[in-house]
Coordinates of all heavy atoms in Angstrom, one line a residue:
H385 N -8.6 -7.0 36.4 CA -8.8 -6.4 35.1 C -7.6 -5.5 34.7 O -7.2 -5.5 33.5 CB -10.1 -5.5 35.2 CG -11.3 -6.1 34.8 ND1 -11.6 -6.6 33.5 CD2 -12.4 -6.4 35.6 CE1 -12.8 -7.2 33.5 NE2 -13.3 -7.1 34.8
L386 N -7.0 -4.8 35.6 CA -5.8 -4.1 35.3 C -4.7 -4.9 34.9 O -3.9 -4.6 34.0 CB -5.4 -3.2 36.5 CG -6.5 -2.1 36.9 CD1 -6.0 -1.3 38.1 CD2 -6.8 -1.1 35.8
D387 N -4.6 -6.1 35.6 CA -3.5 -7.0 35.3 C -3.8 -7.6 33.8 O -2.8 -7.7 33.1 CB -3.5 -8.2 36.3 CG -2.4 -9.2 36.0 OD1 -1.2 -8.8 36.0 OD2 -2.8 -10.4 35.7
F388 N -5.0 -7.8 33.5 CA -5.3 -8.4 32.1 C -4.8 -7.3 31.1 O -4.2 -7.7 30.1 CB -6.9 -8.5 32.0 CG -7.4 -8.9 30.6 CD1 -7.4 -10.2 30.3 CD2 -7.7 -7.9 29.7 CE1 -7.9 -10.6 29.0 CE2 -8.2 -8.2 28.5 CZ -8.2 -9.5 28.1
T389 N -5.1 -6.0 31.3 CA -4.7 -5.0 30.4 C -3.2 -4.9 30.3 O -2.6 -4.7 29.2 CB -5.4 -3.7 30.7 OG1 -6.8 -3.8 30.7 CG2 -5.0 -2.6 29.7
R390 N -2.6 -5.0 31.5 CA -1.2 -4.8 31.6 C -0.4 -5.9 30.7 O 0.6 -5.6 30.1 CB -0.7 -4.9 33.0 CG 0.7 -4.4 33.3 CD 1.1 -4.5 34.7 NE 0.2 -3.6 35.5 CZ -0.7 -4.1 36.4 NH1 -0.9 -5.4 36.6 NH2 -1.5 -3.2 37.0
K391 N -1.0 -7.2 30.7 CA -0.4 -8.2 30.0 C -0.4 -7.9 28.5 O 0.6 -8.1 27.8 CB -1.1 -9.5 30.2 CG -0.9 -10.1 31.6 CD -1.7 -11.4 31.8 CE -1.7 -11.9 33.2 NZ -2.6 -13.1 33.3
R392 N -1.5 -7.3 28.0 CA -1.5 -7.0 26.6 C -0.6 -5.8 26.2 O -0.1 -5.8 25.2 CB -3.0 -6.7 26.2 CG -3.8 -8.0 25.8 CD -4.1 -8.8 27.1 NE -4.6 -10.1 26.8 CZ -4.8 -11.1 27.7 NH1 -4.6 -10.7 29.0 NH2 -5.3 -12.3 27.3
K393 N -0.6 -4.8 27.2 CA 0.3 -3.7 26.9 C 1.8 -4.1 26.9 O 2.6 -3.7 26.1 CB 0.0 -2.6 28.0 CG -1.3 -1.9 27.9 CD -1.6 -1.1 29.1 CE -0.6 0.1 29.2 NZ -1.0 1.0 30.3
D394 N 2.1 -5.1 27.8 CA 3.5 -5.6 27.8 C 3.8 -6.4 26.5 O 4.9 -6.3 26.1 CB 3.7 -6.5 29.0 CG 3.7 -5.7 30.3 OD1 3.8 -4.5 30.3 OD2 3.6 -6.4 31.4
A395 N 2.8 -7.1 26.0 CA 3.1 -7.8 24.8 C 3.3 -6.9 23.5 O 4.0 -7.3 22.7 CB 1.9 -8.8 24.5
Q396 N 2.6 -5.8 23.6 CA 2.8 -4.8 22.5 C 3.0 -3.4 23.1 O 2.0 -2.6 23.1 CB 1.6 -4.9 21.5 CG 1.3 -6.2 20.9 CD 0.6 -6.1 19.6 OE1 1.0 -5.3 18.7 NE2 -0.4 -6.9 19.4
E397 N 4.2 -3.2 23.6 CA 4.5 -2.0 24.4 C 4.1 -0.8 23.5 O 4.5 -0.7 22.4 CB 5.9 -2.0 24.8 CG 6.2 -0.9 25.8 CD 7.6 -1.0 26.3 OE1 8.3 -2.0 26.0 OE2 8.1 -0.1 27.1
T398 N 3.4 0.1 24.2 CA 3.0 1.4 23.5 C 1.9 1.2 22.5 O 0.8 1.9 22.5 CB 4.1 2.1 22.8 OG1 5.2 2.4 23.7 CG2 3.7 3.4 22.2
H399 N 2.0 0.2 21.7 CA 1.1 0.0 20.5 C -0.3 -0.5 20.9 O -1.3 0.0 20.3 CB 1.7 -0.8 19.4 CG 3.1 -0.4 19.0 ND1 3.3 0.9 18.6 CD2 4.3 -1.0 19.0 CE1 4.6 1.1 18.3 NE2 5.2 -0.1 18.5
F400 N -0.4 -1.4 21.8 CA -1.7 -1.8 22.2 C -2.6 -0.7 22.7 O -3.7 -0.5 22.3 CB -1.7 -3.0 23.2 CG -3.0 -3.4 23.7 CD1 -3.7 -4.3 22.9 CD2 -3.6 -3.0 24.9 CE1 -5.0 -4.8 23.3 CE2 -4.8 -3.4 25.3 CZ -5.6 -4.3 24.5
A401 N -2.1 0.0 23.7 CA -2.8 1.2 24.3 C -3.1 2.2 23.3 O -4.2 2.8 23.3 CB -2.1 1.7 25.5
Q402 N -2.2 2.5 22.4 CA -2.4 3.6 21.4 C -3.5 3.1 20.4 O -4.3 4.0 19.9 CB -1.1 3.9 20.7 CG -1.2 5.1 19.7 CD -1.7 6.3 20.4 OE1 -0.8 7.0 21.0 NE2 -3.0 6.7 20.3
T403 N -3.5 1.9 20.0 CA -4.5 1.4 19.1 C -5.9 1.5 19.8 O -6.9 1.9 19.1 CB -4.2 0.0 18.6 OG1 -2.9 0.0 18.0 CG2 -5.3 -0.5 17.6
V404 N -6.0 1.2 21.1 CA -7.2 1.3 21.7 C -7.7 2.8 21.7 O -8.9 3.0 21.4 CB -7.1 0.8 23.2 CG1 -8.3 1.2 24.0 CG2 -6.9 -0.6 23.3
R405 N -6.8 3.7 22.0 CA -7.2 5.1 22.0 C -7.6 5.5 20.6 O -8.6 6.3 20.5 CB -6.0 5.9 22.5 CG -5.7 5.8 24.0 CD -4.8 6.9 24.5 NE -3.4 6.7 23.9 CZ -2.4 6.0 24.5 NH1 -2.6 5.4 25.7 NH2 -1.2 6.0 24.0
L406 N -7.0 5.1 19.5 CA -7.4 5.5 18.2 C -8.8 5.0 17.8 O -9.6 5.7 17.3 CB -6.3 5.0 17.2 CG -5.1 5.8 17.1 CD1 -4.0 5.0 16.3 CD2 -5.2 7.2 16.6
I407 N -9.1 3.8 18.2 CA -10.4 3.2 17.9 C -11.4 3.9 18.8 O -12.6 4.2 18.3 CB -10.4 1.7 18.1 CG1 -9.4 1.0 17.2 CG2 -11.8 1.1 18.0 CD1 -9.8 1.1 15.7
K408 N -11.1 4.2 20.0 CA -12.1 4.9 20.9 C -12.3 6.3 20.3 O -13.5 6.7 20.4 CB -11.5 5.0 22.3 CG -11.6 3.7 23.1 CD -10.8 3.8 24.4 CE -11.3 4.9 25.3 NZ -10.7 4.8 26.6
F409 N -11.3 6.9 19.7 CA -11.5 8.3 19.2 C -12.5 8.1 17.9 O -13.4 9.0 17.8 CB -10.2 8.8 18.7 CG -10.2 10.3 18.3 CD1 -10.0 11.3 19.2 CD2 -10.3 10.6 16.9 CE1 -10.0 12.5 18.8 CE2 -10.3 11.9 16.6 CZ -10.2 12.9 17.5
W410 N -12.3 7.1 17.2 CA -13.2 6.8 16.0 C -14.6 6.6 16.5 O -15.6 7.2 16.0 CB -12.7 5.6 15.2 CG -13.8 5.1 14.3 CD1 -14.2 5.6 13.1 CD2 -14.5 3.9 14.5 NE1 -15.1 4.8 12.6 CE2 -15.4 3.8 13.4 CE3 -14.6 2.9 15.6 CZ2 -16.3 2.7 13.3 CZ3 -15.5 1.9 15.5 CH2 -16.3 1.8 14.3
A411 N -14.8 5.8 17.6 CA -16.1 5.5 18.1 C -16.8 6.8 18.6 O -18.0 7.0 18.5 CB -16.0 4.5 19.2
Q412 N -16.0 7.7 19.2 CA -16.6 9.0 19.7 C -17.1 9.8 18.6 O -18.1 10.4 18.6 CB -15.5 9.8 20.5 CG -15.4 9.3 21.9 CD -14.6 10.4 22.8 OE1 -14.0 11.4 22.3 NE2 -14.6 10.2 24.1
K413 N -16.3 9.8 17.5 CA -16.8 10.5 16.3 C -18.1 9.9 15.8 O -19.0 10.7 15.4 CB -15.7 10.4 15.1 CG -16.2 10.9 13.8 CD -15.2 10.7 12.7 CE -15.7 11.0 11.3 NZ -16.7 10.1 10.8
M414 N -18.2 8.6 15.8 CA -19.5 8.0 15.3 C -20.6 8.4 16.2 O -21.7 8.6 15.8 CB -19.3 6.5 15.3 CG -18.2 6.0 14.3 SD -18.5 6.6 12.6 CE -20.2 6.0 12.3
K415 N -20.4 8.4 17.5 CA -21.4 8.8 18.5 C -21.9 10.3 18.3 O -23.1 10.6 18.4 CB -21.0 8.6 19.9 CG -20.8 7.1 20.2 CD -20.1 7.0 21.6 CE -19.8 5.5 21.9 NZ -19.1 5.4 23.2
R416 N -21.0 11.1 17.9 CA -21.4 12.5 17.6 C -22.2 12.6 16.4 O -23.1 13.5 16.3 CB -20.1 13.4 17.5 CG -19.3 13.7 18.7 CD -18.3 14.8 18.6 NE -17.3 14.5 17.5 CZ -16.2 13.9 17.6 NH1 -15.9 13.4 18.8 NH2 -15.4 13.6 16.6
E417 N -21.9 11.8 15.4 CA -22.7 11.8 14.2 C -24.0 11.1 14.3 O -24.9 11.4 13.5 CB -21.8 11.2 13.0 CG -20.6 12.0 12.7 CD -19.7 11.3 11.7 OE1 -20.1 10.2 11.3 OE2 -18.7 11.9 11.2
N418 N -24.1 10.2 15.2 CA -25.3 9.4 15.4 C -25.5 9.1 16.8 O -24.9 8.3 17.4 CB -25.3 8.1 14.6 CG -26.5 7.2 14.7 OD1 -27.5 7.6 15.4 ND2 -26.5 6.0 14.2
Q419 N -26.5 9.8 17.4 CA -26.7 9.6 18.9 C -27.1 8.3 19.2 O -27.0 7.9 20.5 CB -27.7 10.7 19.4 CG -29.1 10.5 18.8 CD -30.1 11.5 19.3 OE1 -29.7 12.4 20.1 NE2 -31.4 11.4 18.9
D420 N -27.6 7.4 18.3 CA -28.0 6.1 18.6 C -26.9 5.0 18.5 O -27.0 3.9 18.9 CB -29.1 5.7 17.7 CG -30.4 6.4 18.0 OD1 -30.7 6.8 19.1 OD2 -31.1 6.7 17.0
F421 N -25.7 5.5 18.0 CA -24.6 4.6 17.9 C -24.0 4.3 19.2 O -23.8 5.1 20.1 CB -23.5 5.3 17.0 CG -22.3 4.4 16.7 CD1 -22.3 3.5 15.6 CD2 -21.2 4.4 17.5 CE1 -21.2 2.6 15.4 CE2 -20.1 3.5 17.3 CZ -20.1 2.7 16.2
R422 N -23.8 3.0 19.4 CA -23.2 2.5 20.7 C -22.0 1.6 20.5 O -22.2 0.6 19.7 CB -24.3 1.8 21.6 CG -25.4 2.6 22.1 CD -26.3 1.8 23.0 NE -25.6 1.4 24.2 CZ -25.8 0.2 24.8 NH1 -26.7 -0.7 24.3 NH2 -25.1 -0.1 25.9
L423 N -20.9 1.8 21.1 CA -19.9 0.9 21.1 C -19.0 1.3 22.3 O -18.1 2.2 22.3 CB -19.0 0.9 19.8 CG -17.8 0.0 19.8 CD1 -18.2 -1.4 20.0 CD2 -17.1 0.2 18.4
K424 N -19.1 0.6 23.4 CA -18.4 1.0 24.6 C -17.0 0.7 24.6 O -16.6 -0.3 23.9 CB -19.1 0.5 25.9 CG -19.2 -1.1 26.0 CD -19.9 -1.4 27.3 CE -20.1 -3.0 27.4 NZ -20.8 -3.3 28.6
S425 N -16.2 1.5 25.3 CA -14.8 1.3 25.3 C -14.3 -0.1 25.7 O -13.3 -0.6 25.1 CB -14.1 2.3 26.2 OG -14.4 3.6 25.7
F426 N -15.0 -0.7 26.6 CA -14.5 -2.0 27.2 C -14.6 -3.1 26.1 O -13.8 -3.9 25.9 CB -15.4 -2.4 28.4 CG -14.9 -3.6 29.1 CD1 -13.6 -3.8 29.4 CD2 -15.8 -4.7 29.5 CE1 -13.1 -4.9 30.1 CE2 -15.3 -5.8 30.2 CZ -13.9 -5.9 30.4
M427 N -15.6 -3.0 25.2 CA -15.8 -3.9 24.1 C -14.6 -3.7 23.1 O -14.1 -4.6 22.5 CB -17.1 -3.8 23.4 CG -18.3 -4.4 24.2 SD -19.9 -4.0 23.5 CE -19.8 -4.6 21.9
I428 N -14.3 -2.4 22.8 CA -13.2 -2.1 22.0 C -11.8 -2.8 22.5 O -11.1 -3.4 21.8 CB -13.0 -0.6 21.8 CG1 -14.1 0.0 21.0 CG2 -11.7 -0.3 21.1 CD1 -14.1 1.5 21.0
E429 N -11.7 -2.6 23.8 CA -10.5 -3.2 24.4 C -10.4 -4.7 24.3 O -9.4 -5.3 24.0 CB -10.4 -2.8 25.9 CG -10.2 -1.3 26.1 CD -10.5 -0.9 27.6 OE1 -10.6 -1.8 28.4 OE2 -10.6 0.3 27.8
M430 N -11.6 -5.3 24.5 CA -11.7 -6.8 24.4 C -11.5 -7.3 23.0 O -10.8 -8.4 22.8 CB -13.0 -7.3 25.0 CG -13.3 -7.0 26.5 SD -12.0 -7.8 27.6 CE -11.0 -6.4 27.9
I431 N -12.0 -6.7 22.0 CA -11.8 -7.1 20.6 C -10.2 -7.0 20.3 O -9.7 -7.9 19.7 CB -12.6 -6.2 19.7 CG1 -14.1 -6.6 19.9 CG2 -12.2 -6.6 18.2 CD1 -15.1 -5.6 19.2
L432 N -9.7 -5.8 20.7 CA -8.3 -5.7 20.4 C -7.4 -6.6 21.1 O -6.3 -7.1 20.7 CB -7.8 -4.2 20.7 CG -8.4 -3.2 19.6 CD1 -8.1 -1.8 20.1 CD2 -7.8 -3.5 18.2
A433 N -7.8 -7.0 22.4 CA -7.0 -7.9 23.2 C -7.1 -9.3 22.5 O -6.1 -10.0 22.4 CB -7.6 -8.0 24.6
H434 N -8.3 -9.6 22.0 CA -8.5 -10.9 21.3 C -7.6 -10.9 20.0 O -6.9 -12.0 19.8 CB -10.0 -11.0 20.9 CG -10.3 -12.2 20.0 ND1 -10.2 -13.5 20.5 CD2 -10.8 -12.3 18.7 CE1 -10.5 -14.3 19.5 NE2 -10.9 -13.6 18.5
L435 N -7.6 -9.9 19.3 CA -6.7 -9.8 18.1 C -5.2 -9.9 18.4 O -4.4 -10.6 17.8 CB -7.0 -8.6 17.3 CG -8.4 -8.4 16.6 CD1 -8.6 -7.1 16.0 CD2 -8.7 -9.6 15.7
S436 N -4.9 -9.2 19.5 CA -3.5 -9.3 19.9 C -3.1 -10.7 20.4 O -2.0 -11.2 20.0 CB -3.2 -8.3 21.1 OG -1.9 -8.3 21.5
D437 N -4.0 -11.3 21.1 CA -3.7 -12.7 21.5 C -3.6 -13.7 20.3 O -2.9 -14.7 20.5 CB -4.8 -13.2 22.5 CG -4.8 -12.5 23.8 OD1 -3.8 -11.7 24.1 OD2 -5.7 -12.8 24.7
K438 N -4.2 -13.3 19.3 CA -4.2 -14.2 18.0 C -2.9 -13.9 17.3 O -2.6 -14.7 16.3 CB -5.4 -13.9 17.1 CG -6.6 -14.5 17.7 CD -7.8 -14.1 16.8 CE -7.7 -14.6 15.4 NZ -9.0 -14.3 14.6
G439 N -2.0 -13.0 17.7 CA -0.7 -12.7 17.1 C -0.7 -11.6 16.2 O 0.4 -11.3 15.6
L440 N -1.8 -10.8 16.0 CA -1.7 -9.6 15.1 C -1.0 -8.5 15.8 O -1.1 -8.3 16.9 CB -3.2 -9.2 14.8 CG -4.0 -10.2 13.9 CD1 -5.5 -9.7 13.8 CD2 -3.4 -10.4 12.6
K441 N -0.1 -7.9 15.0 CA 0.7 -6.8 15.5 C 0.1 -5.5 15.3 O -0.5 -5.2 14.3 CB 2.1 -6.9 14.9 CG 2.8 -8.2 15.1 CD 3.0 -8.5 16.6 CE 3.7 -9.9 16.9 NZ 3.8 -10.2 18.3
F442 N 0.3 -4.6 16.3 CA -0.3 -3.2 16.2 C 0.8 -2.1 16.0 O 0.5 -1.0 16.1 CB -1.1 -2.9 17.5 CG -2.3 -3.8 17.7 CD1 -2.8 -3.9 19.0 CD2 -2.8 -4.6 16.7 CE1 -3.9 -4.7 19.3 CE2 -3.9 -5.4 17.0 CZ -4.4 -5.5 18.2
S443 N 2.0 -2.6 15.6 CA 3.1 -1.6 15.6 C 3.0 -0.6 14.4 O 3.7 0.4 14.3 CB 4.4 -2.3 15.5 OG 4.5 -3.3 14.5
D444 N 2.2 -1.0 13.4 CA 1.9 -0.1 12.3 C 0.4 0.3 12.4 O -0.5 -0.5 12.2 CB 2.1 -0.8 11.0 CG 1.9 0.1 9.8 OD1 0.7 0.2 9.3 OD2 2.8 0.7 9.3
Y445 N 0.1 1.6 12.7 CA -1.2 2.0 13.1 C -2.2 1.9 12.0 O -3.4 1.5 12.2 CB -1.2 3.3 13.7 CG -0.5 3.4 15.1 CD1 0.1 4.5 15.6 CD2 -0.3 2.2 15.8 CE1 0.8 4.5 16.8 CE2 0.3 2.1 17.0 CZ 0.9 3.3 17.5 OH 1.6 3.3 18.7
P446 N -1.9 2.2 10.7 CA -2.9 2.0 9.6 C -3.3 0.5 9.5 O -4.5 0.2 9.4 CB -2.2 2.4 8.4 CG -1.2 3.5 8.9 CD -0.8 3.0 10.2
E447 N -2.3 -0.4 9.7 CA -2.7 -1.8 9.6 C -3.4 -2.2 10.9 O -4.3 -3.1 10.8 CB -1.4 -2.6 9.5 CG -0.7 -2.6 8.2 CD 0.4 -3.6 8.0 OE1 0.6 -4.4 8.9 OE2 1.1 -3.5 7.0
A448 N -3.0 -1.7 12.0 CA -3.8 -2.1 13.3 C -5.2 -1.6 13.2 O -6.1 -2.4 13.6 CB -3.1 -1.3 14.5
L449 N -5.5 -0.5 12.6 CA -6.9 -0.1 12.5 C -7.6 -1.0 11.5 O -8.8 -1.4 11.8 CB -6.9 1.4 11.9 CG -6.4 2.5 12.9 CD1 -6.3 3.8 12.1 CD2 -7.3 2.6 14.1
Q450 N -6.9 -1.4 10.5 CA -7.5 -2.3 9.5 C -7.9 -3.7 10.2 O -8.8 -4.3 9.9 CB -6.7 -2.5 8.2 CG -6.8 -1.4 7.3 CD -8.2 -1.4 6.6 OE1 -9.2 -1.4 7.3 NE2 -8.2 -1.3 5.2
H451 N -6.9 -4.1 11.1 CA -7.2 -5.4 11.8 C -8.5 -5.3 12.5 O -9.3 -6.3 12.4 CB -6.1 -5.6 12.8 CG -4.8 -6.1 12.2 ND1 -4.7 -6.7 11.1 CD2 -3.5 -5.8 12.6 CE1 -3.4 -7.0 10.8 NE2 -2.7 -6.4 11.8
F452 N -8.8 -4.2 13.2 CA -10.0 -4.1 14.0 C -11.2 -4.0 13.1 O -12.2 -4.7 13.2 CB -9.9 -2.8 14.8 CG -11.2 -2.5 15.7 CD1 -11.3 -3.1 16.9 CD2 -12.2 -1.7 15.1 CE1 -12.5 -2.9 17.7 CE2 -13.3 -1.5 15.9 CZ -13.5 -2.1 17.2
F453 N -11.2 -3.1 12.1 CA -12.3 -2.9 11.2 C -12.6 -4.2 10.4 O -13.8 -4.5 10.2 CB -12.1 -1.7 10.3 CG -12.0 -0.4 11.0 CD1 -11.0 0.5 10.6 CD2 -12.9 0.0 12.0 CE1 -10.9 1.7 11.3 CE2 -12.8 1.2 12.6 CZ -11.7 2.1 12.3

Side-chain angles (χ1 to χ4, degrees):
H385 269 295
L386 296 180
D387 181 64
F388 174 90
T389 301
R390 191 178 302 112
K391 289 176 185 176
R392 276 72 193 176
K393 289 171 68 177
D394 289 345
Q396 301 207 48
E397 191 172 355
T398 302
H399 304 308
F400 178 80
Q402 185 60 79
T403 303
V404 169
R405 290 191 293 265
L406 286 168
I407 298 293
K408 285 171 62 175
F409 190 86
W410 163 77
Q412 278 195 351
K413 169 185 173 288
M414 297 307 303
K415 292 172 187 175
R416 289 194 301 271
E417 294 176 354
N418 177 5
Q419 63 179 2
D420 294 325
F421 184 87
R422 291 185 65 215
L423 179 56
K424 62 183 178 182
S425 297
F426 190 46
M427 285 172 57
I428 292 171
E429 294 167 15
M430 294 302 98
I431 293 170
L432 289 172
H434 175 64
L435 295 178
S436 180
D437 289 357
K438 288 173 64 176
L440 293 174
K441 301 302 180 185
F442 299 161
S443 54
D444 181 274
Y445 295 154
E447 287 188 8
L449 294 172
Q450 279 292 50
H451 287 327
F452 179 88
F453 295 134

